[in-house]
Amino acid sequence: MIFSSKLIEDAVKEFSRLPGIGKKTALRMVLQLLRMDGNEVDEFTGAVSRMRHGVKFCRECHNVSDSEVCGICVNPGRNRSQVCVVETIRDVIAIESTQQYSGLYHVLGGILSPLDGIGPEQLNIHTLHGRVKNNDVTELIMALSPTIEGDTTVYYIARQLNDLPVTITTIARGIAFGGELEYADEMTLARSIAKRQPIENYVTMK
Amino acid sequence: MIFSSKLIEDAVKEFSRLPGIGKKTALRMVLQLLRMDGNEVDEFTGAVSRMRHGVKFCRECHNVSDSEVCGICVNPGRNRSQVCVVETIRDVIAIESTQQYSGLYHVLGGILSPLDGIGPEQLNIHTLHGRVKNNDVTELIMALSPTIEGDTTVYYIARQLNDLPVTITTIARGIAFGGELEYADEMTLARSIAKRQPIENYVTMK
């Protein structure tokens, strides 16, 4: 692409660094910003800048937060005996958006993947033992990817905590709502038959 | 979506205002920016801000420019007797990227569309007569969309300039390179047969 403005070219280059954004999409965004009011663009850049420089990571659960401890961890209405272990911040947002979970979280920041050089030291695993012990957590819900790495992480964490009286559960796997049986992979279908539920459990979410 | 950080939420909201960007894509971008170095994010916001506040529109051709007159208009190597009329800045970038055109441009900023309330006054049409006259332009290449609005704009401009000795041409329509005949629409196919070319013209671009 040949631009007649270095300013446009620079902005396009910056947008192209974002995930899934090619040069054409970047250009479309830049031209949209160019059409917007100067004030609106200042709000855009301001929000991005404040986000990057202002966001903290909760010292309890490692979730993103605007303060030292996040809104979920300080909320007295949350069930403190339940902790849901997730890979990323995005998982917290997904689960919170269901409005069906009232416990706390623990964000690992990834899953164990020796081939990618990700061991326990690269993740927020070492703080988990103390957290479970000191806060009398009774249930740890593992909400990790249903992959070999995810399962490995579940087993690793379970072993680390086997001296504590905590129940470790994993979220249910099965056919998604609206999913069609014939398109489900064999593993999911096999597991969903093995872990079949009585009808009364099927309709409640907890 | 429920966010545990207002700062993240605000940044996601800003990104969602860009064309084609939903909440999930916006979140992916925001989390990518969160992972980037603070300096890199400052470069990102700086480039956007400088672009919005620094970009000018060339007073000759209305293309985006870093100065009063754009790099194409001031370039002594360009053929000043040829002007290519386009709808948007994006078209200039597309044509420049072919590196096959050495004349000047005229960016209308849209095409005539009475139903959308776009008349000649909303476009950069009134400057065209003076430009053609004062600069001894001999050819005006109309590179507009092959739609009713595009054709209307071509005829409108042709009528405005009918007192001047300028040849008005339109870019060739036809089957795209790599396009398959059977998938071409009837209009394009019919026109491309009617406007068939001798083989020697076919291989040259000018």
Side-chain angles (χ1 to χ4, degrees):
Chain A
M1 266 190 201
I2 296 178
F3 300 91
S4 57
S5 157
K6 181 86 173 58
L7 294 168
I8 299 262
E9 186 173 358
D10 288 347
V12 168
K13 206 184 287 167
E14 289 294 333
F15 268 99
S16 310
R17 299 166 67 170
L18 298 177
I21 303 300
K23 280 243 165 148
K24 286 207 171 178
T25 310
L27 176 61
R28 192 141 39 93
M29 292 181 178
V30 168
L31 294 183
Q32 170 69 19
L33 285 162
L34 186 59
R35 268 195 296 271
M36 280 161 58
D37 257 13
N39 296 347
E40 290 183 303
V41 173
D42 293 342
E43 275 169 37
F44 175 89
T45 55
V48 170
S49 186
R50 281 191 302 276
M51 182 278 298
R52 177 60 188 80
H53 296 291
V55 162
K56 296 176 177 65
F57 290 90
C58 172
R59 65 158 191 254
E60 295 288 323
C61 74
H62 311 289
N63 186 16
V64 283
S65 171
D66 296 347
S67 46
E68 290 296 310
V69 179
C70 80
I72 296 172
C73 285
V74 296
N75 184 343
R78 309 285 304 207
N79 178 354
R80 317 193 80 74
S81 68
Q82 258 181 347
V83 170
C84 180
V85 178
V86 294
E87 287 170 49
T88 68
I89 300 153
R90 216 180 300 159
D91 300 326
V92 175
I93 294 170
I95 296 173
E96 280 299 284
S97 298
T98 69
Q99 304 197 18
Q100 294 290 333
Y101 176 69
S102 60
L104 304 180
Y105 292 92
H106 191 88
V107 181
L108 296 177
I111 43 179
L112 292 175
S113 178
L115 288 178
D116 301 318
I118 302 176
E121 310 75 38
Q122 275 74 47
L123 304 177
N124 302 317
I125 285 187
H126 63 283
T127 51
L128 197 52
H129 190 282
R131 223 185 139 196
V132 170
K133 191 176 180 183
N134 302 336
N135 299 292
D136 298 321
V137 174
T138 56
E139 185 182 3
L140 209 60
I141 302 168
M142 308 298 288
L144 304 181
S145 301
T147 58
I148 293 178
E149 289 83 6
D151 287 347
T152 307
T153 310
V154 170
Y155 290 123
Y156 180 87
I157 291 176
R159 269 188 45 192
Q160 296 283 308
L161 305 182
N162 67 2
D163 61 321
L164 298 176
V166 59
T167 304
I168 298 182
T169 58
T170 68
I171 53 168
R173 307 292 178 196
I175 308 297
F177 281 92
E180 300 200 31
L181 278 202
E182 60 176 316
Y183 298 120
D185 64 290
E186 289 170 16
M187 180 100 133
T188 302
L189 192 52
R191 269 212 214 183
S192 75
I193 291 170
K195 301 279 175 188
R196 64 193 178 281
Q197 301 276 307
I199 285 183
E200 58 268 40
N201 283 1
Y202 180 72
V203 288
T204 59
M205 282 211 57
K206 273 184 228 168
Chain B
M1 266 190 200
I2 297 179
F3 299 92
S4 55
S5 156
K6 181 88 173 59
L7 294 169
I8 299 261
E9 186 172 357
D10 287 347
V12 168
K13 206 182 291 167
E14 289 294 333
F15 268 99
S16 310
R17 298 167 67 170
L18 298 177
I21 302 300
K23 280 243 165 151
K24 285 206 172 179
T25 310
L27 176 62
R28 191 140 41 93
M29 291 181 178
V30 167
L31 294 181
Q32 171 69 21
L33 284 163
L34 185 59
R35 267 195 296 272
M36 280 162 59
D37 259 13
N39 295 347
E40 289 183 302
V41 173
D42 294 343
E43 275 170 38
F44 175 89
T45 55
V48 170
S49 186
R50 279 192 302 277
M51 184 277 298
R52 176 59 186 82
H53 296 291
V55 162
K56 295 175 177 66
F57 290 90
C58 174
R59 66 159 190 252
E60 296 287 324
C61 73
H62 313 288
N63 185 19
V64 284
S65 170
D66 296 349
S67 45
E68 290 297 310
V69 180
C70 79
I72 296 172
C73 285
V74 296
N75 184 345
R78 310 283 304 208
N79 178 354
R80 316 192 80 75
S81 68
Q82 259 182 347
V83 170
C84 181
V85 178
V86 295
E87 286 170 48
T88 69
I89 300 154
R90 217 181 297 160
D91 300 325
V92 175
I93 294 170
I95 296 174
E96 281 299 284
S97 299
T98 69
Q99 303 198 16
Q100 295 290 332
Y101 177 69
S102 60
L104 305 180
Y105 292 92
H106 191 87
V107 181
L108 296 177
I111 43 179
L112 291 176
S113 179
L115 287 178
D116 301 319
I118 301 175
E121 311 73 38
Q122 275 73 47
L123 305 176
N124 302 316
I125 286 187
H126 62 285
T127 51
L128 198 51
H129 190 280
R131 220 184 143 199
V132 170
K133 192 175 178 185
N134 302 335
N135 297 291
D136 298 319
V137 174
T138 57
E139 186 182 2
L140 209 61
I141 303 168
M142 308 297 289
L144 305 181
S145 304
T147 58
I148 292 178
E149 288 83 7
D151 287 348
T152 306
T153 310
V154 170
Y155 291 123
Y156 180 87
I157 291 175
R159 268 186 47 189
Q160 295 285 306
L161 305 181
N162 66 3
D163 62 320
L164 298 176
V166 59
T167 305
I168 298 183
T169 57
T170 68
I171 53 168
R173 309 291 178 196
I175 308 298
F177 281 93
E180 300 201 30
L181 277 203
E182 60 176 318
Y183 297 121
D185 64 290
E186 289 170 17
M187 179 101 131
T188 302
L189 192 52
R191 269 213 216 184
S192 76
I193 292 170
K195 303 278 175 186
R196 64 195 178 279
Q197 301 277 305
I199 286 185
E200 57 269 39
N201 284 0
Y202 181 73
V203 290
T204 59
M205 283 210 54
K206 276 184 225 166

